[in-house]
PDB file of all heavy atoms in Angstrom:
ATOM      1  N   PHE A  45     -81.361 101.745 -42.919  1.00 97.00           N
ATOM      2  CA  PHE A  45     -80.193 100.889 -43.096  1.00 97.00           C
ATOM      3  C   PHE A  45     -80.617  99.440 -43.317  1.00 97.00           C
ATOM      4  O   PHE A  45     -80.118  98.772 -44.232  1.00 97.00           O
ATOM      5  CB  PHE A  45     -79.292 101.006 -41.861  1.00 97.00           C
ATOM      6  CG  PHE A  45     -78.114 100.070 -41.879  1.00 97.00           C
ATOM      7  CD1 PHE A  45     -77.170 100.143 -42.902  1.00 97.00           C
ATOM      8  CD2 PHE A  45     -77.956  99.113 -40.882  1.00 97.00           C
ATOM      9  CE1 PHE A  45     -76.079  99.280 -42.915  1.00 97.00           C
ATOM     10  CE2 PHE A  45     -76.874  98.241 -40.896  1.00 97.00           C
ATOM     11  CZ  PHE A  45     -75.937  98.326 -41.912  1.00 97.00           C
ATOM     12  N   GLU A  46     -81.577  98.950 -42.487  1.00 97.00           N
ATOM     13  CA  GLU A  46     -82.011  97.549 -42.577  1.00 97.00           C
ATOM     14  C   GLU A  46     -82.587  97.228 -43.950  1.00 97.00           C
ATOM     15  O   GLU A  46     -82.290  96.190 -44.537  1.00 97.00           O
ATOM     16  CB  GLU A  46     -83.038  97.214 -41.487  1.00 97.00           C
ATOM     17  CG  GLU A  46     -82.466  97.077 -40.093  1.00 97.00           C
ATOM     18  CD  GLU A  46     -82.018  98.416 -39.500  1.00 97.00           C
ATOM     19  OE1 GLU A  46     -82.588  99.469 -39.890  1.00 97.00           O
ATOM     20  OE2 GLU A  46     -81.083  98.409 -38.687  1.00 97.00           O
ATOM     21  N   TRP A  48     -82.115  98.799 -46.805  1.00 97.00           N
ATOM     22  CA  TRP A  48     -81.072  98.903 -47.830  1.00 97.00           C
ATOM     23  C   TRP A  48     -80.180  97.671 -47.817  1.00 97.00           C
ATOM     24  O   TRP A  48     -79.901  97.057 -48.841  1.00 97.00           O
ATOM     25  CB  TRP A  48     -80.271 100.181 -47.584  1.00 97.00           C
ATOM     26  CG  TRP A  48     -79.050 100.366 -48.445  1.00 97.00           C
ATOM     27  CD1 TRP A  48     -77.758 100.387 -48.014  1.00 97.00           C
ATOM     28  CD2 TRP A  48     -78.999 100.583 -49.869  1.00 97.00           C
ATOM     29  NE1 TRP A  48     -76.907 100.592 -49.070  1.00 97.00           N
ATOM     30  CE2 TRP A  48     -77.628 100.714 -50.226  1.00 97.00           C
ATOM     31  CE3 TRP A  48     -79.959 100.668 -50.869  1.00 97.00           C
ATOM     32  CZ2 TRP A  48     -77.213 100.932 -51.543  1.00 97.00           C
ATOM     33  CZ3 TRP A  48     -79.537 100.881 -52.177  1.00 97.00           C
ATOM     34  CH2 TRP A  48     -78.186 101.013 -52.515  1.00 97.00           C
ATOM     35  N   ARG A  49     -79.754  97.299 -46.593  1.00 97.00           N
ATOM     36  CA  ARG A  49     -78.890  96.131 -46.457  1.00 97.00           C
ATOM     37  C   ARG A  49     -79.621  94.857 -46.872  1.00 97.00           C
ATOM     38  O   ARG A  49     -79.023  93.945 -47.456  1.00 97.00           O
ATOM     39  CB  ARG A  49     -78.446  96.043 -44.997  1.00 97.00           C
ATOM     40  CG  ARG A  49     -77.363  95.058 -44.698  1.00 97.00           C
ATOM     41  CD  ARG A  49     -77.223  95.069 -43.179  1.00 97.00           C
ATOM     42  NE  ARG A  49     -76.361  94.033 -42.668  1.00 97.00           N
ATOM     43  CZ  ARG A  49     -75.213  94.301 -42.033  1.00 97.00           C
ATOM     44  NH1 ARG A  49     -74.817  95.533 -41.870  1.00 97.00           N
ATOM     45  NH2 ARG A  49     -74.510  93.319 -41.563  1.00 97.00           N
ATOM     46  N   GLY A  50     -80.925  94.816 -46.570  1.00 97.00           N
ATOM     47  CA  GLY A  50     -81.739  93.648 -46.904  1.00 97.00           C
ATOM     48  C   GLY A  50     -81.692  93.330 -48.398  1.00 97.00           C
ATOM     49  O   GLY A  50     -81.696  92.165 -48.799  1.00 97.00           O
ATOM     50  N   ILE A  51     -81.643  94.383 -49.219  1.00 97.00           N
ATOM     51  CA  ILE A  51     -81.603  94.188 -50.671  1.00 97.00           C
ATOM     52  C   ILE A  51     -80.398  93.330 -51.063  1.00 97.00           C
ATOM     53  O   ILE A  51     -80.508  92.400 -51.858  1.00 97.00           O
ATOM     54  CB  ILE A  51     -81.540  95.550 -51.393  1.00 97.00           C
ATOM     55  CG1 ILE A  51     -82.861  96.306 -51.200  1.00 97.00           C
ATOM     56  CG2 ILE A  51     -81.238  95.367 -52.882  1.00 97.00           C
ATOM     57  CD1 ILE A  51     -82.856  97.713 -51.765  1.00 97.00           C
ATOM     58  N   PHE A  52     -79.236  93.651 -50.469  1.00 97.00           N
ATOM     59  CA  PHE A  52     -78.015  92.952 -50.858  1.00 97.00           C
ATOM     60  C   PHE A  52     -77.753  91.698 -50.029  1.00 97.00           C
ATOM     61  O   PHE A  52     -76.840  90.926 -50.331  1.00 97.00           O
ATOM     62  CB  PHE A  52     -76.817  93.915 -50.804  1.00 97.00           C
ATOM     63  CG  PHE A  52     -76.996  95.086 -51.712  1.00 97.00           C
ATOM     64  CD1 PHE A  52     -77.494  96.292 -51.214  1.00 97.00           C
ATOM     65  CD2 PHE A  52     -76.727  94.984 -53.063  1.00 97.00           C
ATOM     66  CE1 PHE A  52     -77.689  97.375 -52.057  1.00 97.00           C
ATOM     67  CE2 PHE A  52     -76.923  96.057 -53.909  1.00 97.00           C
ATOM     68  CZ  PHE A  52     -77.408  97.265 -53.411  1.00 97.00           C
ATOM     69  N   ALA A  53     -78.559  91.494 -48.983  1.00 97.00           N
ATOM     70  CA  ALA A  53     -78.461  90.252 -48.215  1.00 97.00           C
ATOM     71  C   ALA A  53     -79.171  89.136 -48.976  1.00 97.00           C
ATOM     72  O   ALA A  53     -78.855  87.954 -48.823  1.00 97.00           O
ATOM     73  CB  ALA A  53     -79.067  90.442 -46.825  1.00 97.00           C
ATOM     74  N   ASN A  54     -80.130  89.514 -49.801  1.00 96.00           N
ATOM     75  CA  ASN A  54     -80.838  88.551 -50.640  1.00 96.00           C
ATOM     76  C   ASN A  54     -79.863  87.866 -51.605  1.00 96.00           C
ATOM     77  O   ASN A  54     -79.063  88.531 -52.269  1.00 96.00           O
ATOM     78  CB  ASN A  54     -81.924  89.309 -51.420  1.00 96.00           C
ATOM     79  CG  ASN A  54     -82.621  88.439 -52.434  1.00 96.00           C
ATOM     80  OD1 ASN A  54     -82.084  88.166 -53.507  1.00 96.00           O
ATOM     81  ND2 ASN A  54     -83.806  87.972 -52.097  1.00 96.00           N
ATOM     82  N   LYS A  58     -77.374  89.584 -54.344  1.00 98.00           N
ATOM     83  CA  LYS A  58     -75.934  89.526 -54.061  1.00 98.00           C
ATOM     84  C   LYS A  58     -75.198  88.965 -55.276  1.00 98.00           C
ATOM     85  O   LYS A  58     -74.211  89.522 -55.738  1.00 98.00           O
ATOM     86  CB  LYS A  58     -75.687  88.644 -52.823  1.00 98.00           C
ATOM     87  CG  LYS A  58     -74.397  88.990 -52.077  1.00 98.00           C
ATOM     88  CD  LYS A  58     -74.070  87.951 -51.033  1.00 98.00           C
ATOM     89  CE  LYS A  58     -74.722  88.197 -49.686  1.00 98.00           C
ATOM     90  NZ  LYS A  58     -74.086  89.284 -48.940  1.00 98.00           N
ATOM     91  N   VAL A 109     -65.761  91.882 -53.453  1.00 98.00           N
ATOM     92  CA  VAL A 109     -66.065  90.642 -52.729  1.00 98.00           C
ATOM     93  C   VAL A 109     -66.193  90.948 -51.244  1.00 98.00           C
ATOM     94  O   VAL A 109     -67.155  90.535 -50.578  1.00 98.00           O
ATOM     95  CB  VAL A 109     -64.943  89.591 -52.943  1.00 98.00           C
ATOM     96  CG1 VAL A 109     -65.148  88.384 -52.029  1.00 98.00           C
ATOM     97  CG2 VAL A 109     -64.903  89.154 -54.405  1.00 98.00           C
ATOM     98  N   GLN A 110     -65.237  91.706 -50.746  1.00 97.00           N
ATOM     99  CA  GLN A 110     -65.234  92.027 -49.325  1.00 97.00           C
ATOM    100  C   GLN A 110     -66.485  92.811 -48.924  1.00 97.00           C
ATOM    101  O   GLN A 110     -67.110  92.519 -47.903  1.00 97.00           O
ATOM    102  CB  GLN A 110     -63.977  92.832 -49.022  1.00 97.00           C
ATOM    103  CG  GLN A 110     -63.651  92.891 -47.544  1.00 97.00           C
ATOM    104  CD  GLN A 110     -62.772  94.084 -47.229  1.00 97.00           C
ATOM    105  OE1 GLN A 110     -62.015  94.545 -48.077  1.00 97.00           O
ATOM    106  NE2 GLN A 110     -62.883  94.581 -46.025  1.00 97.00           N
ATOM    107  N   ILE A 111     -66.861  93.783 -49.731  1.00 98.00           N
ATOM    108  CA  ILE A 111     -68.044  94.597 -49.407  1.00 98.00           C
ATOM    109  C   ILE A 111     -69.290  93.712 -49.336  1.00 98.00           C
ATOM    110  O   ILE A 111     -70.075  93.782 -48.398  1.00 98.00           O
ATOM    111  CB  ILE A 111     -68.267  95.705 -50.464  1.00 98.00           C
ATOM    112  CG1 ILE A 111     -67.126  96.726 -50.419  1.00 98.00           C
ATOM    113  CG2 ILE A 111     -69.606  96.405 -50.243  1.00 98.00           C
ATOM    114  CD1 ILE A 111     -67.173  97.769 -51.541  1.00 98.00           C
ATOM    115  N   LEU A 112     -69.436  92.828 -50.322  1.00 98.00           N
ATOM    116  CA  LEU A 112     -70.678  92.054 -50.413  1.00 98.00           C
ATOM    117  C   LEU A 112     -70.745  90.909 -49.414  1.00 98.00           C
ATOM    118  O   LEU A 112     -71.830  90.560 -48.946  1.00 98.00           O
ATOM    119  CB  LEU A 112     -70.856  91.522 -51.841  1.00 98.00           C
ATOM    120  CG  LEU A 112     -71.241  92.582 -52.873  1.00 98.00           C
ATOM    121  CD1 LEU A 112     -71.131  92.042 -54.288  1.00 98.00           C
ATOM    122  CD2 LEU A 112     -72.666  93.074 -52.599  1.00 98.00           C
ATOM    123  N   TRP A 113     -69.594  90.317 -49.068  1.00 97.00           N
ATOM    124  CA  TRP A 113     -69.661  89.149 -48.190  1.00 97.00           C
ATOM    125  C   TRP A 113     -69.291  89.423 -46.738  1.00 97.00           C
ATOM    126  O   TRP A 113     -69.410  88.562 -45.905  1.00 97.00           O
ATOM    127  CB  TRP A 113     -68.844  88.003 -48.778  1.00 97.00           C
ATOM    128  CG  TRP A 113     -69.693  87.222 -49.759  1.00 97.00           C
ATOM    129  CD1 TRP A 113     -70.576  86.234 -49.443  1.00 97.00           C
ATOM    130  CD2 TRP A 113     -69.771  87.393 -51.171  1.00 97.00           C
ATOM    131  NE1 TRP A 113     -71.217  85.797 -50.578  1.00 97.00           N
ATOM    132  CE2 TRP A 113     -70.737  86.481 -51.662  1.00 97.00           C
ATOM    133  CE3 TRP A 113     -69.119  88.245 -52.082  1.00 97.00           C
ATOM    134  CZ2 TRP A 113     -71.061  86.379 -53.009  1.00 97.00           C
ATOM    135  CZ3 TRP A 113     -69.458  88.136 -53.423  1.00 97.00           C
ATOM    136  CH2 TRP A 113     -70.409  87.227 -53.873  1.00 97.00           C
ATOM    137  N   ARG A 114     -68.833  90.637 -46.454  1.00 92.00           N
ATOM    138  CA  ARG A 114     -68.532  90.958 -45.046  1.00 92.00           C
ATOM    139  C   ARG A 114     -69.505  91.984 -44.510  1.00 92.00           C
ATOM    140  O   ARG A 114     -69.259  92.621 -43.501  1.00 92.00           O
ATOM    141  CB  ARG A 114     -67.101  91.483 -44.893  1.00 92.00           C
ATOM    142  CG  ARG A 114     -66.074  90.415 -45.033  1.00 92.00           C
ATOM    143  CD  ARG A 114     -64.918  90.641 -44.062  1.00 92.00           C
ATOM    144  NE  ARG A 114     -63.760  89.880 -44.473  1.00 92.00           N
ATOM    145  CZ  ARG A 114     -62.573  90.424 -44.718  1.00 92.00           C
ATOM    146  NH1 ARG A 114     -62.399  91.720 -44.573  1.00 92.00           N
ATOM    147  NH2 ARG A 114     -61.573  89.675 -45.074  1.00 92.00           N
ATOM    148  N   MET A 115     -70.588  92.222 -45.205  1.00 87.00           N
ATOM    149  CA  MET A 115     -71.513  93.260 -44.716  1.00 87.00           C
ATOM    150  C   MET A 115     -72.382  92.718 -43.595  1.00 87.00           C
ATOM    151  O   MET A 115     -72.476  91.557 -43.370  1.00 87.00           O
ATOM    152  CB  MET A 115     -72.388  93.777 -45.851  1.00 87.00           C
ATOM    153  CG  MET A 115     -73.172  92.705 -46.581  1.00 87.00           C
ATOM    154  SD  MET A 115     -74.260  93.422 -47.803  1.00 87.00           S
ATOM    155  CE  MET A 115     -75.832  92.798 -47.204  1.00 87.00           C
TER     156      MET A 115
ATOM    157  N   PHE B  49     -70.367 102.872 -51.380  1.00 98.00           N
ATOM    158  CA  PHE B  49     -71.168 101.649 -51.338  1.00 98.00           C
ATOM    159  C   PHE B  49     -70.837 100.848 -50.078  1.00 98.00           C
ATOM    160  O   PHE B  49     -71.731 100.372 -49.370  1.00 98.00           O
ATOM    161  CB  PHE B  49     -70.901 100.821 -52.600  1.00 98.00           C
ATOM    162  CG  PHE B  49     -71.776  99.606 -52.748  1.00 98.00           C
ATOM    163  CD1 PHE B  49     -73.162  99.712 -52.713  1.00 98.00           C
ATOM    164  CD2 PHE B  49     -71.210  98.345 -52.932  1.00 98.00           C
ATOM    165  CE1 PHE B  49     -73.967  98.583 -52.858  1.00 98.00           C
ATOM    166  CE2 PHE B  49     -72.007  97.216 -53.081  1.00 98.00           C
ATOM    167  CZ  PHE B  49     -73.392  97.332 -53.040  1.00 98.00           C
ATOM    168  N   GLN B  50     -69.548 100.734 -49.797  1.00 98.00           N
ATOM    169  CA  GLN B  50     -69.119 100.006 -48.608  1.00 98.00           C
ATOM    170  C   GLN B  50     -69.682 100.657 -47.335  1.00 98.00           C
ATOM    171  O   GLN B  50     -70.243  99.976 -46.474  1.00 98.00           O
ATOM    172  CB  GLN B  50     -67.591  99.979 -48.533  1.00 98.00           C
ATOM    173  CG  GLN B  50     -67.057  99.310 -47.278  1.00 98.00           C
ATOM    174  CD  GLN B  50     -65.541  99.179 -47.329  1.00 98.00           C
ATOM    175  OE1 GLN B  50     -64.837 100.124 -47.672  1.00 98.00           O
ATOM    176  NE2 GLN B  50     -65.047  98.008 -47.013  1.00 98.00           N
ATOM    177  N   SER B  52     -72.272 102.425 -46.992  1.00 97.00           N
ATOM    178  CA  SER B  52     -73.726 102.297 -46.892  1.00 97.00           C
ATOM    179  C   SER B  52     -74.135 100.924 -46.383  1.00 97.00           C
ATOM    180  O   SER B  52     -75.246 100.749 -45.888  1.00 97.00           O
ATOM    181  CB  SER B  52     -74.368 102.546 -48.264  1.00 97.00           C
ATOM    182  OG  SER B  52     -74.209 101.415 -49.107  1.00 97.00           O
ATOM    183  N   LEU B  53     -73.236  99.920 -46.464  1.00 97.00           N
ATOM    184  CA  LEU B  53     -73.613  98.542 -46.117  1.00 97.00           C
ATOM    185  C   LEU B  53     -72.919  97.985 -44.879  1.00 97.00           C
ATOM    186  O   LEU B  53     -73.444  97.057 -44.243  1.00 97.00           O
ATOM    187  CB  LEU B  53     -73.301  97.604 -47.298  1.00 97.00           C
ATOM    188  CG  LEU B  53     -74.257  97.675 -48.492  1.00 97.00           C
ATOM    189  CD1 LEU B  53     -73.756  96.782 -49.612  1.00 97.00           C
ATOM    190  CD2 LEU B  53     -75.672  97.281 -48.089  1.00 97.00           C
ATOM    191  N   ALA B  54     -71.748  98.513 -44.522  1.00 97.00           N
ATOM    192  CA  ALA B  54     -70.923  97.839 -43.525  1.00 97.00           C
ATOM    193  C   ALA B  54     -71.573  97.767 -42.135  1.00 97.00           C
ATOM    194  O   ALA B  54     -71.643  96.695 -41.545  1.00 97.00           O
ATOM    195  CB  ALA B  54     -69.556  98.504 -43.445  1.00 97.00           C
ATOM    196  N   SER B  55     -72.044  98.872 -41.603  1.00 97.00           N
ATOM    197  CA  SER B  55     -72.598  98.877 -40.242  1.00 97.00           C
ATOM    198  C   SER B  55     -73.529 100.079 -40.091  1.00 97.00           C
ATOM    199  O   SER B  55     -73.474 101.009 -40.897  1.00 97.00           O
ATOM    200  CB  SER B  55     -71.464  98.980 -39.215  1.00 97.00           C
ATOM    201  OG  SER B  55     -70.833 100.251 -39.346  1.00 97.00           O
TER     202      SER B  55
END
Side-chain angles (χ1 to χ4, degrees):
Chain A
F45 175 60
E46 286 71 27
W48 173 245
R49 191 186 171 116
I51 292 175
F52 301 96
N54 174 283
K58 206 190 273 285
V109 171
Q110 196 202 332
I111 294 173
L112 287 169
W113 274 277
R114 287 217 198 123
M115 56 176 239
Chain B
F49 186 55
Q50 177 174 46
S52 77
L53 285 175
S55 66

